[in-house]
Structure formats: structure tokens, C-alpha cells
Amino acid sequence: MTTLDTPAILTPGSRLPLADGTLAVLVGIPGCGKSTFAGQYPASWRVCLDEYRLAATDDMADQSATPVAIQIQNLILDARLARGRTTLADSTNVFTHVRAGLLARARYWQRPAVAVLFDVPLATAEAQNAARERVVPSHVLHDLHAQLPTADQLHAEGFTVVYLASEPHT
């Protein structure tokens, strides 16, 4: 059993014990296995900024589409959380203000919010990133890795449970 300040360890292939209506916020750099992890759940559960950038511009890497992608994400989050549907926020979510917005939405709809911290080694994420169809530049990985929160920080922000994935989910 996990306590408020002790992260639960996730091994590759393990699934989250999510109550109906939970918002699970995946936190990690590109190439750490977030989307692979999310792929073991129903596709309807997943909200992903990359997919909404792709829908808006035909290019999921087009960062100029991020504002509209966030609007789409928020509409879908509100629709799902209002109905008590379990939802996975599959984006990097490494910045405090981004997680604060997700937590605020969960609170507004009175839904539990958990975090899944993918703290795989930077070298592992770099290797997995290099094998992807859309490779994120190395300097971006390094910058995002420097922003990764700790499990303690995620607890302090208000996540009810923090799950820790230290091995890549491939």
C-alpha cells in the first residue's frame, strides 16, 4: 500500500489501479515510454497535445499549434471529467504550471488526480527517442530532463498518489 508521500513503483507492463473518473497525469521527457504506457489503456482515455497539434497542422512537432492543442485538450478533459471518465494526460507535463492547470481541472470536477513520474535515465530516453519516427532534438530532451519534478514535489502539488516508473515502458 502506498502512503501519501511514498511513491508506488510501476514495473514495465504493470497497470494503474485507477478509480473511475481519475485523471492520471503522465510526467516525463520524450522517449521515456509515456505513450507506450498509455497504449495499454483504451484509446478514448488518452488526451495528448501531440495528437491535437497533428490534427490542427498535420505536424505533431509544430509548436506554433500548442495554444489550439491546449484548447482542444481542455475541452476533452472537461467533457471526460464532467462525466466521470478515467483520463490519461499523455504529454511531457514537466512544468509546474502545466500540472497546476491539470490539477485545477480535476479539482473543479471533483475527480482524483494521480501522477505517473517516468524518471528513466536520460541516456535511455535519448536512445529510445533516436529510434522514434519523430526525433526530438537532444538539447530539448536535456532541457526537459532538468525540469523533471520529484515524487515529493508532485505530492506537494496535490496529486493524491504518485506512481514511479524508473524503467522504460517499451
Side-chain angles (χ1 to χ4, degrees):
M1 182 69 166
T2 241
T3 64
L4 180 61
D5 50 5
T6 304
I9 306 300
L10 286 178
T11 57
S14 62
R15 291 176 57 96
L16 298 173
L18 298 174
D20 289 343
T22 298
L23 173 60
V25 177
L26 309 185
V27 181
I29 67 173
C32 70
K34 295 179 310 296
S35 295
T36 300
F37 177 81
Q40 67 184 329
Y41 298 92
S44 61
W45 289 19
R46 184 174 174 247
V47 296
C48 178
L49 291 177
D50 285 346
E51 296 298 323
Y52 307 137
R53 281 191 286 265
L54 178 66
T57 67
D58 294 332
D59 181 0
M60 66 176 54
D62 184 347
Q63 298 299 308
S64 72
T66 298
V68 74
I70 290 170
Q71 290 178 327
I72 296 166
Q73 173 186 269
N74 290 342
L75 285 170
I76 294 171
L77 280 170
D78 286 341
R80 293 190 59 76
L81 296 174
R83 290 167 177 79
R85 307 308 304 165
T86 303
T87 305
L88 302 173
D90 178 15
S91 297
T92 60
N93 300 313
V94 299
F95 298 108
T96 305
H97 72 278
V98 171
R99 294 188 305 274
L102 293 167
L103 280 165
R105 283 199 135 64
R107 281 189 202 106
Y108 178 84
W109 295 109
Q110 299 177 3
R111 303 295 176 208
V114 303
V116 183
L117 177 59
F118 291 80
D119 72 340
V120 302
L122 179 57
T124 301
E126 286 179 313
Q128 289 187 177
N129 178 58
R132 294 172 11 156
E133 182 178 323
R134 181 180 62 91
V135 176
V136 175
S138 181
H139 75 277
V140 173
L141 291 181
H142 285 259
D143 291 348
L144 291 173
H145 189 263
Q147 298 293 322
L148 269 178
T150 64
D152 288 341
Q153 182 180 347
L154 294 170
H155 280 298
E157 289 174 8
F159 289 98
T160 54
V161 177
V162 175
Y163 296 93
L164 189 59
S166 297
E167 298 178 48
H169 288 249
T170 57

